Amino acid sequence: MAHKLILAIVNDDDRVRLTEALLREGFRATKLSSTGSFLRAGNSTLILGVKDIDVPKVMGILEEQCKSRQELVSELWLAELGLEPDYHQPLSVNVGGATVFVIDVEQFKKF
Ligand code: 2BA
């Protein structure tokens, strides 16, 4: 049976609801604490090993549970990036509900 590795970077605020929904449907996940390079805010990266056939179901749960939202980028950080001439106010960016990578898995074993 072929498997995929799903890496999903999600907002911390969605993590509990998302992992509960995944567990209800029988999907196991490992959570890594991660940090976005642009906002430098904490987010969560979920690692899921799933059967090929289950990928659409997991994608559906991610889409349903992860809400996109507006977040402000601090002026201090914009200045550090050298972007302050373009922005005279804190910048509002649309942070996606989930950033998802689906990767082929060569082997999946549990010992
Ligand atoms: P951050 O790097 O903190 O990015 C947060 C949001 O800031 C991004 O939302 C995007 O709307 C904006 N942003 C990021 N880089 C930008 C730039 N150079 N100029 C203008 N705006 C920028 P999302 O795209 O939804 O990404 C949310 C989080 O997902 C990211 O947090 C990062 O942790 C991860 N991510 C997104 N794309 C990725 C990729 N291609 N590879 C790895 N991680 C990624």
Side-chain angles (χ1 to χ4, degrees):
M1 168 89 56
H3 285 80
K4 299 276 191 217
L5 182 72
I6 298 180
L7 289 180
I9 303 163
V10 304
N11 196 289
D12 276 339
D13 297 339
D14 296 329
R15 176 180 40 86
V16 172
R17 202 179 50 246
L18 172 63
T19 48
E20 282 172 2
L22 288 166
L23 280 173
R24 269 198 304 276
E25 296 296 330
F27 297 112
R28 296 168 182 217
T30 296
K31 189 217 98 177
L32 303 178
S33 295
S34 44
T35 306
S37 62
F38 190 68
L39 294 180
R40 296 198 297 189
N43 51 30
S44 294
T45 300
L46 294 188
I47 302 175
L48 300 103
V50 302
K51 293 177 194 149
D52 270 7
I53 197 171
D54 286 330
V55 170
K57 195 162 185 184
V58 172
M59 294 297 235
I61 296 171
L62 287 165
E63 192 172 357
E64 201 176 280
Q65 301 296 337
C66 300
K67 309 290 175 217
S68 81
R69 47 180 55 81
Q70 293 291 314
E71 294 199 11
L72 291 179
V73 186
S74 83
E75 287 167 272
L76 199 64
W77 175 227
L78 287 174
E80 272 186 51
L81 288 173
L83 294 177
E84 81 269 46
D86 293 337
Y87 304 110
H88 300 294
Q89 311 259 336
L91 174 70
S92 175
V93 292
N94 186 47
V95 181
T99 300
V100 187
F101 302 89
V102 181
I103 303 161
D104 287 332
V105 171
E106 203 166 302
Q107 279 195 7
F108 178 27
K109 288 203 188 303
K110 293 176 89 173
F111 296 109

